[in-house]
């Protein structure tokens, strides 16, 4: 079983060998780190030969695989499907635990910003230690996201919380905003950690472990601003040409994404509205109970009844508060995350289209002999591979994403339904006990049948 | 006189036919349009005492409301609502009822009846009418007098008004009231002929008395304070309740928005589709459940409103007492001053700064004959005055005694009714919670079952769909 699992999560050759999962005895066991050919590693590690067909993958030219060799591991065999799913579900396989907490404000002459403490616990070999603590600010997260997108243009990178929310912000850093952001950042990092490919990304590792100065010097490496701009221009230009031959499945995907985006945005709005209405209901209810107490002051015979009613109302009030907080903790962040995801998805589709557009333009050039055609066939070959890899990467990640999405949404709404149930059960109990106390008091016919 | 407390189940029924609270004799004979609760018709018969002989004989109901147009006093076209009052006489033994009278009256005639009763029974806490205009209205409710919901609630209120009078030991014997129920034409003329408007105390006089009275019965002063407090606290309660109802309405209705989005979404989802559909459906049902819930609550609000208006009736009795007391004090004062005048004349003493003193100084002393004449007049007046004082005193004491008896009766009624209202409020809350609970578990079920299926079998929607359907339509038993 172990071997199969390792095979199915086979990382790219550029990354530390994927064997570094929790199964290896004594976490720090040294693996032949970033060996050039993971094929060698695979051979060493595999005890069973059931997945020999999977080895074929590694013969492809690494440079065109855009560092994502998960793509060839299409879950075509039932076995690998089960593996994939088991890998997702069983959290005891998790070997990377990340928490984001302790937001702190830093004031410098130029600016004020917040840093968050990030604690990483891991048993993976490629990490120098088993525990790390660093402080990062939002900009650093942005950098990480950019790097991930660069490295894996057609993978679905988790979304970051928004830079700022224009509406309703009194000050830039009020407590609610910071807390919401902290939770979202926590989610962000954990989603990356759970992603079969992204979890092994080098920049991710550096993000989690490097000290502040290390990180800033690392950030400075990498393609300069000008070259990045050049890339963007080319990308925009190619996307302007439009995608003529988007394959059927990606058309479907695109349609789904558009509809999903619409729906999830609506759900986000509705959920926010419900929260607002519940809050206003709660505010009014708070006033309602005390009036009965006030009244009881002038009524001798009704004192007890009125006081009891007041206390029932107060208890229901508290239950409402709990329901509200359940909503804001379980449902709202999840829905909002998927709103951001839907934007991410559109970006991913665009990038995929760009890659295809590059290929298409070269093919066009070849067909119409627009430019120097000697090198073209070779280039085209490479681009074709690139397109295939990109498509496969996206397809696989898409399935995974959809699965997660369905689970998350279901869970969120189930939680909300449960909160509602608890709320009503509590209110019911409160009023029923009031009724029984009233009827007991007067020894009236106690046949309170409850239909 | 034991009142059987109303069955809580009766309160739950949406048919707004029961009298609000329980009028004295537990009369539940509200035979209404929908004729539910018909079993209560003969309950009135059992608990009769000699005080409520009316109820042995009749049942009263305001059974219908009708929109009418006509010409008003200024000969202008107007629309108004007329209410059908039906009176049935109940045969003792078999509880069968026979329709004896039925006539139509409009709200202004009810007002006339009440004004009449206020004048002729100032020592009675006269039952109030339902509100003239819709107040404490929240968002969805209409403030329009012609609104069918408002008319319906008013119909119930008017019926309650008549039942309260009919069950009052003293008011039920009034002839005008009897005619109100039985004589359709000419009733207004009959009432006006009593000249009651002239007998009414002027408001100004009453206000004056309130300020100037020196020794009102302490109980009445306390009662006035109590009625002020009652009015203020119930108004406050009703205001907040209206706001709470508004917000609750909002919460439920916004949930309904999920319904449409879910069903649109389900169109593109293969695996989650069914779950989304039924979740959407449940949201819709949940959202629409609030309408009935809040309609029930309006009846609760009406019960409270009745006592809000009763506060004014209490104050009216207090005012009457103050007026009488003031009258008494003035008469006593007048008498005392006359006696003193007489004494002065007799003894010949003149106080320097009295009018007599002045006039004496100015005009000289009067002749003995004049003086004798004056003394005689004064003595007559004093006699008259003393008689008057005696009778006023008697009147006053009678009034206080009777009024206080009625107030005690009222207090008991109020305590019963308010307690019942509060209990019915609890019952309403319970029903609302239960209703909402029956909707929610299925939501949970769907989510959990579908989620389960999708975790185990990631593709092949065919095999899962049938079992999912079974899961959805099956009954989920959650503890």
């Amino acid at each position: 079983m172990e071997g199969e699992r390792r095979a199915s999560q086979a990382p790219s050759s550029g990354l530390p060998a994927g064997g570094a999962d929790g199964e290896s005895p004594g976490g720090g066991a040294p693996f032949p780190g970033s060996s050039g050919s993971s094929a060698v590693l695979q051979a060493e590690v595999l005890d069973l030969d059931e997945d020999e067909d999977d080895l074929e993958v590694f013969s492809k030219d690494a440079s065109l695989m855009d560092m994502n060799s998960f793509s060839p591991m299409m879950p075509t065999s039932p076995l690998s499907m089960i593996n994939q799913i088991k890998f997702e579900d069983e959290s005891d396989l998790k070997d990377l635990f990340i928490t984001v907490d302790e937001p702190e404000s830093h004031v410098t002459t130029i600016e004020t910003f917040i840093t968050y403490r990030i604690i990483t616990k891991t048993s993976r070999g490629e990490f120098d230690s088993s525990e790390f603590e660093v402080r990062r600010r939002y900009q650093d997260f942005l950098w990480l996201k950019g790097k991930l997108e660069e490295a894996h243009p057609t993978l679905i990178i988790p979304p970051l919380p928004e830079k700022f929310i224009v509406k309703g912000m009194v000050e830039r850093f009020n407590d609610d905003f910071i807390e919401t952001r902290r939770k979202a950042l926590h989610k962000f990092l954990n989603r990356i950690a759970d992603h079969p490919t992204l979890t092994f990304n080098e920049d991710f590792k550096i993000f989690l472990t490097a000290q502040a100065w290390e990180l800033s010097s690392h950030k400075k490496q990498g393609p300069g601003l000008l070259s990045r701009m050049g890339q963007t221009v080319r990308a925009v230009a190619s996307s302007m040409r439009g995608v003529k031959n988007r394959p059927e499945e990606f058309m479907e995907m695109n349609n789904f994404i558009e509809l999903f985006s619409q729906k999830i945005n609506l759900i986000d709005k509705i959920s926010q509205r419900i929260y607002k209405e519940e809050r206003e209901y709660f505010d009014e209810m708070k006033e309602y109970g005390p009036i009965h107490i006030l009244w009881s002051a002038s009524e001798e015979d009704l004192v007890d009844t009125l006081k009891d009613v007041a206390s029932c109302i107060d208890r229901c009030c508290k239950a409402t508060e709990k329901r509200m907080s359940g909503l804001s903790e379980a449902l709202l962040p999840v829905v909002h995350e998927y709103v951001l995801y839907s934007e991410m998805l559109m970006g991913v589709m665009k990038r995929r289209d760009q890659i295809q557009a590059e290929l298409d333009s070269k093919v066009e050039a070849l067909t119409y002999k627009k430019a120097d055609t000697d090198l073209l066939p070779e280039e085209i070959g490479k681009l074709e591979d690139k397109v295939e890899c990109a498509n496969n990467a996206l397809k696989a990640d898409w399935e995974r994403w959809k699965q997660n999405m369905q689970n998350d949404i279901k869970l969120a709404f189930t939680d909300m339904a449960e909160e509602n149930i608890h709320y009503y059960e509590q209110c019911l109990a409160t009023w029923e006990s009031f009724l029984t106390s009233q009827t007991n008091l007067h020894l009236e016919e106690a046949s309170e049948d409850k239909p | 006189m034991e009142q059987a407390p109303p069955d809580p189940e009766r309160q739950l029924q949406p048919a707004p036919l029961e009298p609000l609270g329980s009028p004295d004799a537990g009369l539940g004979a509200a035979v209404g349009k929908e004729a539910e609760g018909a079993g209560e018709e003969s309950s009135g018969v059992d608990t009769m005492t000699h005080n409520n002989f009316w109820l042995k004989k009749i049942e009263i109901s305001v059974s219908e409301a009708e929109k009418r147009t006509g010409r008003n006093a200024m000969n202008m076209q107007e629309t108004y609502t007329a209410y059908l009052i039906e009176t049935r006489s109940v045969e003792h033994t078999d509880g069968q009822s026979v329709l004896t009278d039925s006539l139509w009256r409009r709200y202004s005639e009810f007002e006339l009846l009440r004004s009449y009763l206020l004048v002729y029974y100032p020592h009675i806490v006269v039952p109030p009418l339902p509100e003239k205009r819709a107040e404490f209205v929240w968002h969805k409710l209409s403030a329009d007098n012609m609104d069918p919901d408002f008319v319906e609630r008013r119909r119930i209120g008017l019926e309650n008004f008549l039942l309260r009078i009919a069950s009052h030991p003293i008011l039920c014997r009034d002839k005008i009231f009897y005619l109100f129920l039985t004589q359709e034409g000419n009733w207004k003329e009959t009432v006006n002929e009593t000249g009651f408007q002239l007998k009414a105390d002027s408001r100004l006089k009453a206000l004056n008395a309130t300020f100037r009275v020196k020794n009102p019965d302490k109980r009445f002063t306390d009662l006035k304070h109590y009625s002020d407090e009652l009015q203020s606290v119930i108004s406050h309660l009703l205001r907040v309740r209206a706001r709470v109802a508004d917000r609750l309405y909002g919460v439920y209705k916004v949930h309904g928005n999920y319904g449409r989005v879910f069903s649109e979404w389900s169109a593109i989802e293969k695996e989650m589709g069914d779950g989304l559909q039924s979740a959407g459906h449940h949201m819709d049902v949940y959202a629409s459940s609030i309408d009935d819930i809040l309609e029930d609550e309006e009846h609760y609000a009406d019960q409270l409103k009745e006592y809000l208006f009763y506060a004014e009736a209490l104050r009216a009795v207090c005012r009457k007492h103050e007026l009488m007391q003031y009258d008494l004090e003035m008469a006593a004062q007048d008498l005392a001053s006359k006696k003193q005048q007489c004494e002065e004349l007799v003894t010949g003493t003149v106080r320097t700064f009295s009018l007599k003193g002045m006039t004496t100084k100015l005009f000289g002393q009067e002749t003995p004959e004049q003086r004798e004449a004056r003394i005689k007049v004064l003595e007559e007046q004093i006699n008259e005055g003393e008689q008057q004082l005696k009778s006023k005193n008697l009147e006053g004491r009678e009034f206080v005694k009777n009024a206080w008896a009625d107030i005690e009766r009222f207090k008991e009624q109020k305590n019963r009714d308010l307690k019942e209202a509060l209990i019915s409020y609890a019952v309403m809350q319970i029903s609302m919670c239960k209703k909402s609970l029956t909707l929610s578990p299925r939501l949970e079920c769907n989510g959990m079952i579908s989620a389960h299926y999708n975790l185990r079998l990631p593709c092949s929607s065919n095999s899962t769909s049938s079992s999912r359907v079974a899961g959805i339509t099956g009954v989920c038993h959650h503890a």
Side-chain angles (χ1 to χ4, degrees), chain B residues 67 88-89 138 155 159 188 228 239 325 365 397 400 433 457 477:
Chain B
K67 212 171 178 175
R88 289 177 159 71
S89 88
W138 56 277
R155 182 191 67 76
E159 183 178 274
K188 274 194 5 204
D228 287 338
R239 258 197 310 274
Q325 179 67 12
Q365 288 241 337
R397 278 207 292 272
V400 166
C433 291
L457 302 156
H477 291 290

Side-chain angles (χ1 to χ4, degrees), chain B residues 22-120:
Chain B
S22 62
D24 289 331
L27 179 74
V31 177
K33 224 192 266 188
E34 288 136 77
E36 281 169 48
E40 275 79 34
E41 273 184 38
S42 41
S43 68
V45 185
D46 306 326
T47 54
M48 288 315 110
T49 69
H50 60 277
N51 276 341
N52 301 312
F53 70 89
W54 264 107
L55 294 176
K56 275 192 203 151
K57 300 196 165 124
I58 64 166
E59 282 165 6
I60 307 171
S61 65
V62 177
S63 47
E64 276 174 45
E66 210 177 73
K67 212 171 178 175
R68 296 212 179 146
T69 51
R71 295 211 168 268
N72 66 6
M74 289 171 288
N75 207 32
M76 292 198 321
Q77 189 86 343
E78 63 165 359
T79 328
Y80 63 91
T81 317
Y83 300 87
L84 179 65
I85 306 178
E86 290 179 324
T87 324
R88 289 177 159 71
S89 88
V90 181
E91 301 305 306
H92 289 275
T93 42
D94 56 4
Q96 291 284 60
S97 70
V98 166
L99 185 66
T100 50
D101 287 286
S102 93
L103 39 71
W104 293 86
R105 294 252 183 249
R106 53 184 293 192
Y107 187 79
S108 56
E109 291 174 281
F110 282 85
E111 282 182 306
L112 191 60
L113 173 66
R114 185 160 192 270
S115 307
Y116 164 83
L117 290 173
L118 279 172
V119 171
Y120 274 89

Side-chain angles (χ1 to χ4, degrees), chain A residues 10-159:
Chain A
S12 76
S13 52
L15 295 173
D21 57 20
E23 309 314 294
S24 54
F31 277 77
S34 27
S35 58
S37 72
S38 36
V40 172
L41 176 69
Q42 292 297 323
E44 277 178 7
V45 153
L46 281 177
D47 299 318
L48 312 158
D49 55 3
E50 276 157 347
D51 291 298
E52 263 172 357
D53 25 295
D54 296 329
L55 289 177
E56 294 177 276
V57 171
F58 296 93
S59 60
K60 292 221 168 133
D61 188 340
S63 67
L64 288 178
M65 281 168 61
D66 69 35
M67 300 208 273
N68 177 19
S69 58
F70 182 76
S71 52
M73 305 316 295
M74 275 305 292
T76 46
S77 65
L79 218 54
S80 54
M81 250 169 59
I82 293 172
N83 292 338
Q84 178 190 353
I85 292 155
K86 268 167 78 174
F87 175 68
E88 312 275 11
D89 290 354
E90 294 175 29
S91 51
D92 28 294
L93 281 188
K94 209 165 138 160
D95 58 358
L96 191 63
F97 298 88
I98 307 173
T99 54
V100 177
D101 58 11
E102 274 193 23
E104 249 176 38
S105 187
H106 296 254
V107 185
T108 69
T109 44
I110 326 166
E111 54 175 351
T112 312
F113 58 91
I114 306 263
T115 60
Y116 303 85
R117 179 176 75 165
I118 302 180
I119 299 185
T120 313
K121 294 197 172 85
T122 179
S123 53
R124 286 191 199 165
E126 67 270 24
F127 283 79
D128 298 331
S129 145
S130 58
E131 217 176 294
F132 296 90
E133 183 177 320
V134 296
R135 287 213 148 255
R136 297 281 179 255
R137 56 185 291 192
Y138 185 77
Q139 266 182 26
D140 300 329
F141 284 86
L142 272 176
W143 168 83
L144 174 63
K145 175 146 174 264
K147 296 298 282 181
L148 291 174
E149 279 174 351
E150 230 183 280
H152 309 275
T154 56
L155 282 190
I156 302 173
I157 314 289

Side-chain angles (χ1 to χ4, degrees), chain A residues 54-302:
Chain A
D54 296 329
L55 289 177
E56 294 177 276
V57 171
F58 296 93
S59 60
K60 292 221 168 133
D61 188 340
S63 67
L64 288 178
M65 281 168 61
D66 69 35
M67 300 208 273
N68 177 19
S69 58
F70 182 76
S71 52
M73 305 316 295
M74 275 305 292
T76 46
S77 65
L79 218 54
S80 54
M81 250 169 59
I82 293 172
N83 292 338
Q84 178 190 353
I85 292 155
K86 268 167 78 174
F87 175 68
E88 312 275 11
D89 290 354
E90 294 175 29
S91 51
D92 28 294
L93 281 188
K94 209 165 138 160
D95 58 358
L96 191 63
F97 298 88
I98 307 173
T99 54
V100 177
D101 58 11
E102 274 193 23
E104 249 176 38
S105 187
H106 296 254
V107 185
T108 69
T109 44
I110 326 166
E111 54 175 351
T112 312
F113 58 91
I114 306 263
T115 60
Y116 303 85
R117 179 176 75 165
I118 302 180
I119 299 185
T120 313
K121 294 197 172 85
T122 179
S123 53
R124 286 191 199 165
E126 67 270 24
F127 283 79
D128 298 331
S129 145
S130 58
E131 217 176 294
F132 296 90
E133 183 177 320
V134 296
R135 287 213 148 255
R136 297 281 179 255
R137 56 185 291 192
Y138 185 77
Q139 266 182 26
D140 300 329
F141 284 86
L142 272 176
W143 168 83
L144 174 63
K145 175 146 174 264
K147 296 298 282 181
L148 291 174
E149 279 174 351
E150 230 183 280
H152 309 275
T154 56
L155 282 190
I156 302 173
I157 314 289
L160 271 179
E162 290 109 325
K163 270 215 183 79
F164 53 83
I165 305 171
V166 183
K167 210 166 52 153
M169 282 292 287
V170 179
E171 36 169 281
R172 213 167 131 231
F173 294 130
N174 72 40
D175 288 340
D176 283 338
F177 175 73
I178 294 174
E179 179 58 17
T180 315
R181 181 178 266 196
R182 183 197 68 74
K183 283 196 211 144
L185 293 174
H186 177 99
K187 201 88 207 275
F188 171 73
L189 291 179
N190 277 286
R191 283 218 190 266
I192 298 177
D194 292 336
H195 193 291
T197 310
L198 296 176
T199 189
F200 298 106
N201 180 287
E202 183 64 26
D203 292 311
F204 181 51
K205 170 159 169 271
I206 292 177
F207 179 90
L208 291 174
T209 58
Q211 290 310 303
W213 61 268
E214 286 176 317
L215 182 66
S216 42
S217 75
H218 176 84
K219 276 192 195 181
K220 291 193 179 97
Q221 305 165 8
L225 185 64
L226 284 175
S227 72
R228 262 184 283 151
M229 273 174 60
Q231 261 181 13
T232 319
V233 169
R234 273 198 299 277
V236 169
S238 61
S239 71
M240 300 263 275
R241 271 192 290 264
V243 182
K244 294 166 201 147
N245 311 315
R246 189 191 279 160
E248 182 58 36
E249 54 196 336
F250 292 110
M251 287 304 293
E252 266 181 46
M253 200 184 285
N254 197 49
N255 291 339
F256 183 94
I257 290 172
E258 273 176 19
L259 250 162
F260 174 78
S261 168
Q262 251 181 38
K263 299 308 157 200
I264 198 71
N265 269 292
L266 276 172
I267 291 186
D268 185 48
K269 281 204 191 73
I270 295 172
S271 310
Q272 303 275 3
R273 179 80 190 279
I274 288 184
Y275 181 78
K276 177 169 161 286
E277 294 284 339
E278 281 186 9
R279 154 128 265 137
E280 291 182 347
Y281 173 67
F282 171 71
D283 286 338
E284 298 292 354
M285 278 294 262
K286 269 197 300 206
E287 233 192 283
Y288 197 34
I291 299 179
H292 293 80
I293 306 264
L294 187 67
W295 190 359
S296 70
S298 46
E299 298 284 344
E300 303 144 0
D301 297 301
L302 294 174

Side-chain angles (χ1 to χ4, degrees), chain B residues 56 147 201:
Chain B
K56 275 192 203 151
D147 181 74
D201 296 316

Side-chain angles (χ1 to χ4, degrees), chain B residues 343-405:
Chain B
E343 202 193 296
E344 283 172 10
L345 284 179
V346 165
T347 59
T349 55
V350 169
R351 280 175 306 155
T352 336
F353 291 112
S354 71
L355 183 62
K356 191 79 186 88
M358 290 294 152
T359 51
T360 314
K361 283 217 158 75
L362 289 170
F363 300 116
Q365 288 241 337
E366 52 190 357
T367 67
E369 293 82 16
Q370 282 177 321
R371 218 171 52 160
E372 279 305 317
R374 288 257 308 281
I375 290 177
K376 205 141 187 190
V377 166
L378 273 177
E379 277 177 349
E380 266 176 44
Q381 283 180 342
I382 288 172
N383 265 332
E384 261 179 55
E386 275 178 345
Q387 298 286 23
Q388 266 192 14
L389 194 62
K390 229 191 261 178
S391 69
K392 278 203 161 96
N393 236 322
L394 213 61
E395 255 179 55
R397 278 207 292 272
E398 266 302 298
F399 177 87
V400 166
K401 188 178 87 170
N402 293 334
W404 206 253

